[in-house]
Amino acid sequence: MTIALDDEAAAMRAGAFGEARRLAIEHQIAVGDFFDAPDFVAVTQAHVMGDTESLGEAGVAYVERLAALPEAERRTRIPTITDPRGLDFAAYRRLGQTEAMAALERRAAHALEALGVLMTNTCINYQTVMPPTRGEHLAMGDTGVAIYCNSVFGARTNFEGGPSALAAGLTGRTPRYGYHLDRYRRATRHFVVDAPLRDLADWGALGALIGRSCNSYWEVPVIEGVTVSPGSDALKQLGAAMASFGSTALFHLVGLTAEARDLGDVSDGSLPEPTVIRLGDIEGLYKRYEAPGEKVDVVVFSAPQLSLMELDDLARRLDGRTVHPETDLLIATSPENKSAADRMGLTRRIEAAGGLVLEGVCFYQSYAREMAEAMGWHRLMTPSAKLANIIGGYGYAPTLGTVEQCVDAAVVGRISA
Amino acid sequence: MIQLRCHPGVGPIVRGVALVAQDDFSARYDLDRSRGVFSREAHRLHGQSYVGRILVLNTAKGGVASAWMLRDMVERGLAPAGLLFNRVNPILAQGAVFAGLALMDRFDGNVTSLIATGDELELDPAQGLISITQRTIG
């Protein structure tokens, strides 16, 4: 199928709006055709992955090529924001990141700013920048952001990789396929939770189990058995882990998320028999990563970035305690939350205990392999199931723990036996 | 010569030797992109070079980073020649378009069974056609 172009899109393709929009619409047409998109849909926000570890020299050079165009041709048309960057300019030397990485990061930021991109450097923009509303079409460039916006708010987005999200920012539209369409938003898999979920890490573990079971971008799990709203940070962990383990982009929590007041809202009764998730399943996920008694090199709170409430919780847990001298404790948050944490004294309390609060980064997007080599890190502990899933590919041995276990490990320097 | 049909893909006509696993794929999660090998221990292709090969895998997993990374891999000469999947997510499709890399999916049957490691392939994405020009021995 060939995607239909309205007059404006056709003019973009013909170059009437300049080279940047021509390249952008050509990219979107190719993607839209691949997914049989009938036409384009206008989007209200674009969110671009802009860390240089992902962009590489090739990506930075591409953005710089756009940035060299005349201003009227290169400026984004809709609010366009960024995912975490590749390093924190205030902390990179302490973490073994190099001047070359910082230089590439500065080039990327400079070029993106020339396009009118707002450097929010965050993967929790739905908590901190502009939460979307139900039915709003978006081009969200982080899996955790996309699944949260689709599921919790009932907004509509596919996973938009950096080149596609940037294209959406330039054209103000995206191909209408996947989760922009009603028919893809119906539940295809059925889960019942029969387990207590006490910690943020438990929500991530649940997301990991469901994501791993679905294992396709095109499966939509509906989840029953959760009767009390766990709050934004728990749903953040749930969605981020599901998206990481399964490439899942939308879930329905019956009675809690936007489109599923009851099961009938998202299913016509043809769902397969539900998979029941029990405490033993959750414990089994932790076991996969366990390393009792082992020395911990680095404890990481990140993936997604922490909310102000999570920073407050960590400051309270760390008051009067000291991080072990042979263990690093890293905590990543958005620039806005970092500023608030500075103002409210949370950063000071966390850093007095020996932790390091990083701004605008998210651990795995910040040259994790090179950091490990420079810092001598191998065993990593985290309450983020998403991070535990990703970081093995960077040469780390990850352990998943509750928030309390992770703080204790940072202080003791070892995982509790 | 065996021919397989699938949904029209993206990218140029390419030839190459297949590297097949029933596993999933993410450039961020699974690869050491500086050396051009699979680096995730749990991946069945762990330790193997993917450079110049036609990767045949089940589906895409994980994050959005592959959308940028494929182009950088191509420009540094450390990319696969093509990608075949049972079903991809938008990220790999977007990344392949951006990189100018051949990518195809949606076959009749399981592509990780239809093609074996060592098979010599020709991919014609626009036509949704794969030719197995030489079957691997054994």
Side-chain angles (χ1 to χ4, degrees), chain A residues 34 36 49 161 244 389 394, chain B residues 7 28-29 40 68 94 106:
Chain A
F34 183 81
D36 301 315
M49 172 172 276
S244 175
N389 186 39
Y394 285 89
Chain B
H7 189 280
R28 163 117 60 201
Y29 290 23
R40 183 184 174 90
W68 283 120
Q94 296 160 4
R106 286 164 279 177

Side-chain angles (χ1 to χ4, degrees), chain B residues 78-91:
Chain B
L78 286 172
L83 298 166
L84 303 179
F85 291 93
N86 281 318
R87 191 87 199 263
V88 292
N89 71 1
I91 295 305

Side-chain angles (χ1 to χ4, degrees), chain A residues 24-72:
Chain A
I25 201 85
E26 287 288 4
H27 172 86
Q28 293 184 305
I29 288 168
V31 173
D33 284 346
F34 183 81
F35 288 113
D36 301 315
D39 59 2
F40 281 95
V41 60
V43 291
T44 52
Q45 288 185 49
H47 176 250
V48 181
M49 172 172 276
D51 71 85
T52 50
E53 194 210 327
S54 307
L55 279 150
E57 174 64 34
V60 174
Y62 175 78
V63 181
E64 286 179 328
R65 179 179 156 201
L66 301 183
L69 295 167
E71 185 166 356

